[in-house]
């Protein structure tokens, strides 16, 4: 294992040179300040035409951030994003021109309108996925396009909406002062910087991590108490707000909008910018937005071939740079704030005190039957996970052990029977609600977020303890930072307990199986468990790791937690467990202690015969 650790470390160092260095240079506060000051000075030193193109690039950067949140973080595809852009554009145009409102109201208003519509779209969109989601969003974009074209009295129809207060036409004023082109550009620069900061802050908060979790494994997200619906609605709302904001700036930049500005090609454009930049790289998207803004100028000679060139660039980037330009130039994004992490350092806060004060609870399963079509996976199963006990659940493969854990944890609703937690009937509660009650489980196949580090995966477990709101997260307010510090300190304690310290900042997809199992266990420990269910936690572990696991399980019991342990290794179980329940083909054939189980003829016939020949 030490070999693996040092190997990984060596590989990490070998990978350091170019990307890490470039990232450090580009992301350095001094560099960023120079870039922003340079942009603010641009209207004074650059030609008007170039400033105009830069302005389009900034709009495109804001628009791309909208997909960063929805597709990059939350994994939701959208082929109709031009609609939100259009809602922002028409919204701000109407508010300023028709209602005579100030830009200070109309631009935020456009963002709110985008957020509201996206929030509403999230309800039907949450019910479908992949190709169907792509088709639904495409349809949504098409509906918006038709509405913009046909609702002539509101949008001007195909004739378009002209005379929008714009800097170029010198018709834009804020607080009674004329906003000429240069200053409008400066406002846009500041808005873009704010958007990039907010998106970065969100993605390095419990919100960003929760969206990534949902993206990669809904069950993993549910197991730590992340509610699917509300998280997804949040992603849509933020994404709609950013697209609306971009659209509003666009409207005031050009002064004239028509339905053709918001057709499917606009939705594809922003996707191309995001994909070529890297779905999870804001920095890459900045580079790609600049590239695509200035490209048409370079291609002027053969404008007809512009979309062919785009197509070739997209295809090329998908094949050669699956992580986009951002993946090539910059180090991968992180999902815990580096600054907060530095503040915490090695400080650790023991999880024991918290767990002990919550105490173990008992959970009983009463006459549970679970059928899948014609197959009965569990039949009239009753068992109790007693407070402060370790209960082993054993039985041959396919006997229904994982199914029982899935029923208790709320993934399946039992066909018949009930699950009772401390006297309350919790049958049919959703998995994230069960997790919220302290009923937490690991999976037979570890479900981690592959591009997260061990620490980031563990921090997912802390999702429910981190109670700060989205504004705290977006602005990285002290409330969010202190909560993150507290949980990072608890995370350090768990890392030490599981001997994962040296791997804390290694991305899990590069780790061997045993470490991943331990990381999943760690995530569960941070979720404030009272009843733990471990589905074959020792499978694939080395002897050393098994010994550590058994020490950890003993420690959990000493904290007063209740544990349900599914395991095949009898030697592993022998010194650990208080009670044993044996399942065979969905029926309980034995319950009692380990000694009795080993001698039970039915158990020997159904299960232990296998164990002796090493087949189980
Ligand atoms: P174990 O964990 O004891 O190896 P499982 O609980 O995974 O067994 O499976 C018990 C039985 O239920 C198996 O026959 C399995 O094929 C079936 N089963 C489990 N989940 C499903 C499902 N979602 N749909 C259909 N059959 C299932
Ligand atoms: Mg199983």
């Amino acid at each position: 294992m030490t070999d693996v650790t040092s190997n990984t470390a060596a590989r990490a160092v070998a990978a350091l040179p170019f990307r890490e260095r470039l990232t450090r240079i580009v992301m350095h506060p001094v560099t960023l300040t120079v870039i922003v000051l340079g942009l603010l000075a641009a209207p004074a030193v650059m030609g008007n035409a170039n400033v105009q193109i830069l302005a389009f690039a900034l709009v495109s950067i804001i628009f791309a951030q909208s997909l960063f949140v929805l597709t990059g973080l939350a994994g939701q595809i959208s082929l109709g994003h031009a609609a939100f852009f259009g809602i922002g554009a028409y919204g701000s145009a109407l508010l300023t021109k028709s209602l005579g409102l100030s830009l200070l109201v109309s631009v935020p208003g456009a963002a709110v309108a985008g957020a509201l519509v996206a929030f509403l779209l999230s309800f039907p969109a949450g019910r479908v996925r992949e190709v169907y989601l792509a088709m639904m969003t495409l349809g949504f974009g098409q509906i918006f396009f038709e509405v913009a074209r046909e609702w002539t009295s509101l949008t001007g129809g195909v004739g378009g909406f002209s005379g929008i207060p714009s800097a170029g036409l010198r018709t834009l004023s804020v607080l009674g002062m004329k906003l000429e082109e240069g200053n409008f550009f400066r406002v846009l620069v500041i808005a873009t910087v704010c958007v990039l900061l907010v998106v970065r802050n969100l993605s390095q908060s419990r919100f960003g991590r929760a969206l990534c979790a949902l993206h990669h494994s809904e069950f993993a997200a549910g197991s730590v108490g992340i509610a699917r619906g509300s998280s997804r609605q949040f992603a849509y709302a933020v994404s709609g707000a950013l697209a609306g904001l971009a659209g509003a700036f666009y409207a005031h930049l050009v002064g004239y909008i028509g339905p053709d500005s918001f057709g499917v090609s606009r939705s594809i454009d922003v996707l191309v910018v995001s994909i070529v930049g890297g779905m999870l790289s804001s920095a890459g998207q900045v580079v790609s937005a600049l590239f695509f803004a200035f490209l048409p100028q370079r291609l002027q000679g053969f404008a007809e071939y512009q979309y062919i060139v785009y197509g070739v660039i997209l295809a090329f980037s998908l094949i050669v740079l699956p992580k986009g330009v951002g993946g090539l130039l910059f180090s991968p994004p992180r999902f815990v704030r580096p600054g907060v992490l530095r503040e915490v350092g090695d400080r650790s806060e023991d999880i024991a005190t918290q767990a002990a004060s919550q105490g173990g609870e008992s959970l009983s399963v009463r006459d549970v039957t679970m059928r899948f079509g014609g197959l009965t996976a569990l039949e009239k199963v009753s068992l109790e996970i007693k407070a402060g006990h370790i209960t082993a659940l054993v039985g041959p493969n396919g006997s229904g052990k994982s199914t029982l854990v899935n029923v208790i944890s709320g993934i399946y609703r039992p066909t018949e029977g009930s699950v009772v937690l401390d006297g309350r009937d919790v049958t049919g509660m959703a998995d994230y609600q069960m997790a919220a009650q302290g009923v937490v489980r690991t999976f037979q196949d570890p479900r981690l977020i592959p591009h997260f580090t061990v620490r980031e995966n563990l921090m997912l477990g802390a999702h429910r303890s981190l109670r700060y709101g989205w504004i705290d997260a977006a602005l990285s307010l002290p409330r969010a930072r202190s909560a993150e510090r507290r949980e990072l300190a608890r995370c350090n304690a768990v890392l030490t307990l599981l001997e994962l310290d040296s791997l804390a900042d290694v991305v899990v997809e590069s780790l061997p199986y045993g470490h991943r199992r331990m990381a999943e266990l760690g995530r569960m420990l941070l979720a404030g468990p009272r009843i733990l269910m471990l589905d074959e936690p020792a499978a694939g572990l080395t002897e050393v790791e098994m010994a550590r696991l058994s020490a950890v399980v003993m420690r959990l019991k000493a904290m007063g937690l209740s544990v349900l342990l599914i395991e095949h290794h009898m030697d592993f179980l022998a010194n650990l467990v208080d009670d044993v329940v044996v399942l065979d083909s969905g029926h309980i054939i034995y319950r009692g202690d380990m000694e009795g189980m080993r001698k039970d003829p039915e158990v020997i016939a159904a299960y232990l015969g296998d164990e002796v020949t090493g087949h189980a």
Side-chain angles (χ1 to χ4, degrees):
M1 185 207 65
T2 346
D3 267 3
V4 175
T5 316
S6 56
N7 264 343
T8 320
R11 250 182 291 140
V13 173
L16 189 104
F18 175 68
R19 280 190 309 171
E20 286 272 314
R21 242 181 301 158
L22 186 66
T23 310
R24 265 182 217 176
I25 295 168
V26 175
M27 299 300 169
H28 196 278
V30 174
T31 321
L32 293 176
T33 311
V34 169
I35 294 175
V36 172
L37 290 178
L39 281 170
L40 291 175
V45 295
M46 255 177 155
N48 239 346
N50 280 331
V51 174
Q52 182 85 358
I53 296 175
L54 266 182
F56 282 120
L58 295 178
V59 168
S60 162
I61 290 169
I62 298 179
F63 196 11
Q65 297 320 292
S66 147
L67 282 184
F68 174 96
V69 173
L70 191 67
T71 314
L73 293 178
Q76 302 284 295
I77 301 162
S78 173
L79 295 181
H81 240 53
F84 302 115
F85 189 75
I87 286 165
Y90 280 109
S92 192
L94 282 164
L95 290 176
T96 47
K97 185 166 181 231
S98 311
L99 297 182
L101 291 175
S102 155
L103 209 62
L104 294 176
V105 179
S106 74
V107 173
V112 171
L116 274 178
V117 177
F119 176 75
L120 292 177
L121 182 72
S122 74
F123 289 90
R127 301 180 148 263
V128 292
R129 52 190 73 205
E130 290 164 16
V131 187
Y132 302 97
L133 180 60
M135 293 323 285
M136 175 184 282
T137 51
L138 186 66
F140 170 71
Q142 208 56 32
I143 291 170
F144 175 81
F145 177 75
E146 293 298 335
V147 170
R149 210 169 59 168
E150 302 301 331
W151 195 350
T152 317
S153 58
L154 192 72
T155 65
V158 273
F161 194 125
S162 57
I164 303 167
S166 100
L169 300 171
R170 304 186 179 283
T171 47
L172 199 58
S173 58
V174 172
L175 299 175
M177 283 187 300
K178 275 259 171 292
L179 194 62
E180 43 76 38
E181 269 180 305
N183 281 337
F184 180 73
F185 177 78
R186 293 186 180 102
V187 170
L188 185 51
V189 169
I190 292 166
T192 311
V193 170
C194 292
V195 164
L196 287 169
L197 287 175
V198 163
V199 166
R200 199 269 319 259
N201 290 348
L202 280 177
S203 68
Q204 293 180 342
S205 74
R206 74 184 186 100
F207 293 95
R209 292 192 294 266
L211 293 180
C212 287
L214 271 181
H215 181 172
H216 287 276
S217 169
E218 293 203 357
F219 289 138
S223 79
V224 292
I226 296 169
R228 291 177 187 78
S230 56
S231 303
R232 227 168 248 146
Q233 286 145 22
F234 174 73
Y236 272 90
V238 172
S239 180
L242 294 175
L245 186 68
F249 277 113
Y250 175 80
H252 296 291
L253 190 60
V254 294
Y256 162 86
I257 52 176
D260 288 336
S261 305
F262 311 107
V264 71
S265 68
R266 167 88 53 193
S267 299
I268 301 295
D269 280 352
V270 67
L271 260 180
V272 172
V273 168
S274 304
I275 292 171
V276 172
M279 267 343 293
L280 263 184
S281 171
S282 288
Q285 291 175 352
V286 168
V287 174
S288 131
L290 285 167
F291 173 77
F292 282 104
F294 282 95
L295 184 66
Q297 209 188 22
R298 303 270 164 272
L299 294 178
Q300 252 162 15
F302 36 117
E304 293 152 51
Y305 304 111
Q306 187 181 325
Y307 276 93
I308 298 183
V309 175
Y310 281 21
V312 171
I313 293 172
L314 181 62
F316 177 82
S317 108
L318 284 174
I319 295 164
V320 185
L321 301 173
K323 288 185 180 162
V325 177
L328 178 74
L329 297 180
F330 306 112
S331 36
R334 293 283 47 106
F335 297 87
V336 168
R337 276 183 92 82
V340 173
L341 193 55
R342 269 194 302 276
E343 284 162 29
V344 174
D346 290 338
R347 193 163 60 79
S348 73
E349 188 172 310
D350 206 358
I351 55 158
T353 44
Q354 195 183 2
S357 68
Q358 290 175 342
E361 277 192 67
S362 65
L363 182 145
S364 37
V365 173
R366 295 182 187 159
D367 290 327
V368 160
T369 298
M370 185 75 218
R371 291 195 194 92
F372 298 105
L375 183 125
T376 305
L378 295 172
E379 184 150 17
K380 295 229 172 282
V381 169
S382 298
L383 66 77
E384 185 144 2
I385 306 176
K386 290 190 202 121
H389 274 224
I390 301 178
T391 307
L393 180 61
V394 299
N397 285 326
S399 56
K401 304 182 296 295
S402 296
T403 303
L404 184 61
V405 169
N406 286 338
V407 166
I408 296 174
S409 62
I411 287 180
Y412 299 148
R413 175 187 258 281
T415 319
E416 279 161 35
S418 58
V419 180
V420 176
L421 177 64
D422 254 11
R424 280 170 304 132
D425 189 334
V426 293
T427 320
M429 248 193 199
D431 54 354
Y432 68 90
Q433 291 168 319
M434 286 305 282
Q437 311 282 322
V439 180
V440 191
R441 52 86 59 89
T442 60
F443 295 89
Q444 191 166 347
D445 48 326
R447 300 195 181 191
L448 296 161
I449 314 310
H451 60 89
F452 272 22
T453 61
V454 170
R455 191 194 312 274
E456 288 162 352
N457 269 293
L458 259 61
M459 284 298 281
L460 271 176
H463 180 80
R464 289 199 59 263
S465 318
L466 292 164
R467 288 171 202 267
Y468 56 84
W470 65 272
I471 295 182
D472 297 315
L475 304 178
S476 188
L477 297 181
R479 218 172 108 92
R481 298 177 73 105
S482 71
E484 290 270 322
R485 272 199 297 273
R486 186 193 66 227
E487 293 305 316
L488 280 167
R490 289 182 62 220
C491 181
N492 280 342
V494 173
L495 286 167
T496 310
L497 176 69
L498 302 178
E499 294 176 33
L500 286 172
D501 312 74
S502 60
L503 301 173
D505 296 307
V506 179
V507 172
V508 295
E509 63 193 343
S510 61
L511 287 178
Y513 199 65
H515 288 137
R516 287 193 223 177
R517 274 211 175 286
M518 282 297 179
E520 198 184 45
L521 187 63
R523 180 178 72 195
M524 188 186 63
L525 293 182
L526 272 169
R530 290 184 290 176
I531 294 178
L532 300 117
M533 298 186 285
L534 310 179
D535 197 347
E536 306 202 13
L541 297 195
T542 62
E543 295 278 319
V544 180
E545 288 168 333
M546 260 207 260
R548 191 183 318 139
L549 176 67
S550 107
V552 170
V553 175
M554 284 310 264
R555 178 103 193 257
L556 299 177
K557 183 186 169 187
M559 289 178 193
L561 300 177
S562 326
V563 182
L564 180 70
L565 182 60
I566 297 181
E567 197 39 73
H568 287 299
H569 299 83
M570 289 302 143
D571 301 337
F572 177 79
L573 290 176
N575 309 319
L576 275 178
V577 305
D578 301 301
D579 313 295
V580 186
V581 173
V582 185
L583 264 181
D584 183 37
S585 310
H587 295 266
I588 290 185
I589 56 169
Y590 174 85
R591 64 180 89 224
D593 58 11
M594 283 291 283
E595 274 307 295
M597 182 198 74
R598 284 188 193 267
K599 295 190 197 115
D600 188 275
E602 202 178 347
V603 176
I604 293 172
Y607 179 51
L608 289 184
D610 281 357
E611 169 70 12
V612 172
T613 58
H615 175 67

